[in-house]
Amino acid sequence: QAASGGGRAALRACGVHNVCRLLTRRAHGFYARDAGVAHRKNLGLLRKIICQESTKFKNVWTTHSASPIAYERGRIYMDNYQCCITSIAQQPRLIYQKSKCAKSEKIEDALLLECPLGEMLPSPSDYKASLVVLTVQNWLLRLSADSGEVLEKVYLAGSCCKFFRYLSWDTPQEVMIVKSAQNKLPAAARQAGIQQTVLFYLAVFQVLPLSFIGMLEINKKIFGNSVTDVAVSNGILIVMYSMGLVRLYNFKAILEQFMEQPFDLGQEFNWNGQVGVVGKYPFGLPCNIKIT
């Protein structure tokens, strides 16, 4: 045991520099026990391959943008996602350039969707990569990654929430979260002593085909007065507090336990005094998950 322990210590001390050996160790699961280790090892492999002393780099392309430049799996997006350039070719080339959009159509956030393997999808366009974008006017749009054409559109904001701003993955390429900005009362309401209890709204979608799972609110009455932020990742609802506390909840259990009524996109509904079509303007999405 001491000899084997000494051998491991010696291996750690000298390090494994051979790329083939590192790949073999990764395949055998040497790096699977700690969160983030596999990702760090993969980056280390990439560095060993491309950062050799004999490697030479040359500048093949330069561009400038007044707005932030986004990158998604071989595609460079500029001008608020109006311009798409492929970075896979030897020299980047334009995929599409959309006409300048109005401020009301400004894109707040985006995620790239890719076709799941081995599944039958309802539309031929579902088998190609697409970009889901969130606009300033609370529209969730699915665009063709090759042309920028609008394939689907969902209106998010009903009577409950007016400002959706963030897209993220719960389960990558399977379940998507659309998060609102933090709700803030007008100054006059705050001066009148009115308390804001609902801080955030989360809309949950299954992707490809795009389907609505439900919407829930993060309420101070349920989670406490010191809530500052919230996120969802890998089936966990993560609630953050001002004193540095983080609470983790089973998100799947919340969806199952507190779902009042399921709704499908395009479904006509008459619920809690609201009449409309799910995902259509001006009704948007119902807040059908009520945590008690």
PDB file of all heavy atoms in Angstrom, residues 62-77:
ATOM      1  N   THR A  62      -9.371  39.862 -39.118  1.00  0.00           N
ATOM      2  CA  THR A  62      -9.588  40.833 -38.044  1.00  0.00           C
ATOM      3  C   THR A  62     -10.914  41.537 -38.270  1.00  0.00           C
ATOM      4  O   THR A  62     -11.275  41.829 -39.417  1.00  0.00           O
ATOM      5  CB  THR A  62      -8.456  41.888 -38.024  1.00  0.00           C
ATOM      6  OG1 THR A  62      -7.203  41.227 -37.846  1.00  0.00           O
ATOM      7  CG2 THR A  62      -8.662  42.878 -36.888  1.00  0.00           C
ATOM      8  N   THR A  63     -11.650  41.770 -37.180  1.00  0.00           N
ATOM      9  CA  THR A  63     -12.903  42.514 -37.302  1.00  0.00           C
ATOM     10  C   THR A  63     -13.114  43.346 -36.053  1.00  0.00           C
ATOM     11  O   THR A  63     -12.448  43.129 -35.032  1.00  0.00           O
ATOM     12  CB  THR A  63     -14.097  41.563 -37.505  1.00  0.00           C
ATOM     13  OG1 THR A  63     -15.259  42.332 -37.833  1.00  0.00           O
ATOM     14  CG2 THR A  63     -14.380  40.750 -36.243  1.00  0.00           C
ATOM     15  N   HIS A  64     -14.024  44.293 -36.126  1.00  0.00           N
ATOM     16  CA  HIS A  64     -14.342  45.159 -34.994  1.00  0.00           C
ATOM     17  C   HIS A  64     -15.865  45.244 -34.863  1.00  0.00           C
ATOM     18  O   HIS A  64     -16.584  45.136 -35.859  1.00  0.00           O
ATOM     19  CB  HIS A  64     -13.765  46.564 -35.198  1.00  0.00           C
ATOM     20  CG  HIS A  64     -12.273  46.572 -35.362  1.00  0.00           C
ATOM     21  ND1 HIS A  64     -11.403  46.557 -34.292  1.00  0.00           N
ATOM     22  CD2 HIS A  64     -11.492  46.573 -36.476  1.00  0.00           C
ATOM     23  CE1 HIS A  64     -10.154  46.555 -34.734  1.00  0.00           C
ATOM     24  NE2 HIS A  64     -10.188  46.569 -36.055  1.00  0.00           N
ATOM     25  N   SER A  65     -16.327  45.418 -33.653  1.00  0.00           N
ATOM     26  CA  SER A  65     -17.765  45.519 -33.420  1.00  0.00           C
ATOM     27  C   SER A  65     -18.032  46.482 -32.278  1.00  0.00           C
ATOM     28  O   SER A  65     -17.363  46.431 -31.240  1.00  0.00           O
ATOM     29  CB  SER A  65     -18.345  44.142 -33.089  1.00  0.00           C
ATOM     30  OG  SER A  65     -19.719  44.256 -32.745  1.00  0.00           O
ATOM     31  N   ALA A  66     -19.013  47.353 -32.468  1.00  0.00           N
ATOM     32  CA  ALA A  66     -19.388  48.298 -31.416  1.00  0.00           C
ATOM     33  C   ALA A  66     -20.177  47.602 -30.312  1.00  0.00           C
ATOM     34  O   ALA A  66     -20.189  48.046 -29.167  1.00  0.00           O
ATOM     35  CB  ALA A  66     -20.217  49.431 -32.009  1.00  0.00           C
ATOM     36  N   SER A  67     -20.833  46.487 -30.644  1.00  0.00           N
ATOM     37  CA  SER A  67     -21.602  45.720 -29.657  1.00  0.00           C
ATOM     38  C   SER A  67     -20.833  44.454 -29.287  1.00  0.00           C
ATOM     39  O   SER A  67     -19.897  44.058 -30.003  1.00  0.00           O
ATOM     40  CB  SER A  67     -22.972  45.357 -30.242  1.00  0.00           C
ATOM     41  OG  SER A  67     -22.810  44.573 -31.412  1.00  0.00           O
ATOM     42  N   PRO A  68     -21.196  43.805 -28.187  1.00  0.00           N
ATOM     43  CA  PRO A  68     -20.490  42.577 -27.784  1.00  0.00           C
ATOM     44  C   PRO A  68     -20.520  41.501 -28.868  1.00  0.00           C
ATOM     45  O   PRO A  68     -21.514  41.358 -29.586  1.00  0.00           O
ATOM     46  CB  PRO A  68     -21.262  42.131 -26.538  1.00  0.00           C
ATOM     47  CG  PRO A  68     -21.876  43.375 -25.999  1.00  0.00           C
ATOM     48  CD  PRO A  68     -22.203  44.215 -27.196  1.00  0.00           C
ATOM     49  N   ILE A  69     -19.423  40.760 -28.998  1.00  0.00           N
ATOM     50  CA  ILE A  69     -19.331  39.664 -29.964  1.00  0.00           C
ATOM     51  C   ILE A  69     -19.599  38.360 -29.230  1.00  0.00           C
ATOM     52  O   ILE A  69     -18.998  38.086 -28.194  1.00  0.00           O
ATOM     53  CB  ILE A  69     -17.938  39.624 -30.620  1.00  0.00           C
ATOM     54  CG1 ILE A  69     -17.687  40.937 -31.382  1.00  0.00           C
ATOM     55  CG2 ILE A  69     -17.801  38.436 -31.557  1.00  0.00           C
ATOM     56  CD1 ILE A  69     -16.292  41.057 -31.969  1.00  0.00           C
ATOM     57  N   ALA A  70     -20.531  37.553 -29.755  1.00  0.00           N
ATOM     58  CA  ALA A  70     -20.873  36.274 -29.134  1.00  0.00           C
ATOM     59  C   ALA A  70     -20.335  35.139 -29.990  1.00  0.00           C
ATOM     60  O   ALA A  70     -20.153  35.281 -31.209  1.00  0.00           O
ATOM     61  CB  ALA A  70     -22.387  36.147 -28.974  1.00  0.00           C
ATOM     62  N   TYR A  71     -20.091  34.001 -29.344  1.00  0.00           N
ATOM     63  CA  TYR A  71     -19.581  32.827 -30.061  1.00  0.00           C
ATOM     64  C   TYR A  71     -20.363  31.599 -29.625  1.00  0.00           C
ATOM     65  O   TYR A  71     -20.563  31.366 -28.442  1.00  0.00           O
ATOM     66  CB  TYR A  71     -18.095  32.628 -29.763  1.00  0.00           C
ATOM     67  CG  TYR A  71     -17.531  31.356 -30.365  1.00  0.00           C
ATOM     68  CD1 TYR A  71     -17.111  31.326 -31.693  1.00  0.00           C
ATOM     69  CD2 TYR A  71     -17.428  30.198 -29.610  1.00  0.00           C
ATOM     70  CE1 TYR A  71     -16.613  30.154 -32.248  1.00  0.00           C
ATOM     71  CE2 TYR A  71     -16.927  29.022 -30.153  1.00  0.00           C
ATOM     72  CZ  TYR A  71     -16.520  29.009 -31.482  1.00  0.00           C
ATOM     73  OH  TYR A  71     -16.034  27.846 -32.026  1.00  0.00           O
ATOM     74  N   GLU A  72     -20.833  30.819 -30.569  1.00  0.00           N
ATOM     75  CA  GLU A  72     -21.555  29.587 -30.281  1.00  0.00           C
ATOM     76  C   GLU A  72     -21.129  28.514 -31.272  1.00  0.00           C
ATOM     77  O   GLU A  72     -21.485  28.544 -32.438  1.00  0.00           O
ATOM     78  CB  GLU A  72     -23.076  29.798 -30.392  1.00  0.00           C
ATOM     79  CG  GLU A  72     -23.703  30.608 -29.269  1.00  0.00           C
ATOM     80  CD  GLU A  72     -23.918  29.798 -28.009  1.00  0.00           C
ATOM     81  OE1 GLU A  72     -23.618  28.580 -28.023  1.00  0.00           O
ATOM     82  OE2 GLU A  72     -24.392  30.376 -27.022  1.00  0.00           O
ATOM     83  N   ARG A  73     -20.278  27.574 -30.834  1.00  0.00           N
ATOM     84  CA  ARG A  73     -19.938  26.373 -31.582  1.00  0.00           C
ATOM     85  C   ARG A  73     -19.603  26.631 -33.050  1.00  0.00           C
ATOM     86  O   ARG A  73     -20.295  26.169 -33.955  1.00  0.00           O
ATOM     87  CB  ARG A  73     -21.080  25.360 -31.477  1.00  0.00           C
ATOM     88  CG  ARG A  73     -21.390  25.024 -30.028  1.00  0.00           C
ATOM     89  CD  ARG A  73     -22.046  23.702 -29.866  1.00  0.00           C
ATOM     90  NE  ARG A  73     -22.382  23.449 -28.483  1.00  0.00           N
ATOM     91  CZ  ARG A  73     -22.757  22.282 -28.007  1.00  0.00           C
ATOM     92  NH1 ARG A  73     -22.852  21.261 -28.823  1.00  0.00           N
ATOM     93  NH2 ARG A  73     -23.040  22.139 -26.728  1.00  0.00           N
ATOM     94  N   GLY A  74     -18.567  27.398 -33.265  1.00  0.00           N
ATOM     95  CA  GLY A  74     -18.099  27.623 -34.623  1.00  0.00           C
ATOM     96  C   GLY A  74     -18.754  28.782 -35.333  1.00  0.00           C
ATOM     97  O   GLY A  74     -18.448  29.054 -36.493  1.00  0.00           O
ATOM     98  N   ARG A  75     -19.667  29.483 -34.659  1.00  0.00           N
ATOM     99  CA  ARG A  75     -20.338  30.637 -35.259  1.00  0.00           C
ATOM    100  C   ARG A  75     -20.056  31.889 -34.427  1.00  0.00           C
ATOM    101  O   ARG A  75     -20.204  31.871 -33.216  1.00  0.00           O
ATOM    102  CB  ARG A  75     -21.844  30.403 -35.372  1.00  0.00           C
ATOM    103  CG  ARG A  75     -22.239  29.324 -36.375  1.00  0.00           C
ATOM    104  CD  ARG A  75     -23.757  29.172 -36.416  1.00  0.00           C
ATOM    105  NE  ARG A  75     -24.196  28.319 -37.501  1.00  0.00           N
ATOM    106  CZ  ARG A  75     -24.315  27.000 -37.404  1.00  0.00           C
ATOM    107  NH1 ARG A  75     -24.035  26.389 -36.278  1.00  0.00           N
ATOM    108  NH2 ARG A  75     -24.731  26.278 -38.441  1.00  0.00           N
ATOM    109  N   ILE A  76     -19.674  32.962 -35.104  1.00  0.00           N
ATOM    110  CA  ILE A  76     -19.427  34.243 -34.456  1.00  0.00           C
ATOM    111  C   ILE A  76     -20.612  35.159 -34.764  1.00  0.00           C
ATOM    112  O   ILE A  76     -20.996  35.317 -35.929  1.00  0.00           O
ATOM    113  CB  ILE A  76     -18.126  34.884 -34.977  1.00  0.00           C
ATOM    114  CG1 ILE A  76     -16.936  33.949 -34.717  1.00  0.00           C
ATOM    115  CG2 ILE A  76     -17.886  36.235 -34.323  1.00  0.00           C
ATOM    116  CD1 ILE A  76     -15.666  34.375 -35.428  1.00  0.00           C
ATOM    117  N   TYR A  77     -21.202  35.744 -33.716  1.00  0.00           N
ATOM    118  CA  TYR A  77     -22.359  36.623 -33.885  1.00  0.00           C
ATOM    119  C   TYR A  77     -21.966  38.041 -33.501  1.00  0.00           C
ATOM    120  O   TYR A  77     -21.414  38.280 -32.431  1.00  0.00           O
ATOM    121  CB  TYR A  77     -23.526  36.155 -33.021  1.00  0.00           C
ATOM    122  CG  TYR A  77     -24.093  34.820 -33.448  1.00  0.00           C
ATOM    123  CD1 TYR A  77     -23.683  33.643 -32.838  1.00  0.00           C
ATOM    124  CD2 TYR A  77     -25.035  34.733 -34.473  1.00  0.00           C
ATOM    125  CE1 TYR A  77     -24.191  32.408 -33.232  1.00  0.00           C
ATOM    126  CE2 TYR A  77     -25.547  33.515 -34.870  1.00  0.00           C
ATOM    127  CZ  TYR A  77     -25.121  32.356 -34.242  1.00  0.00           C
ATOM    128  OH  TYR A  77     -25.628  31.143 -34.639  1.00  0.00           O
TER     129      TYR A  77
END
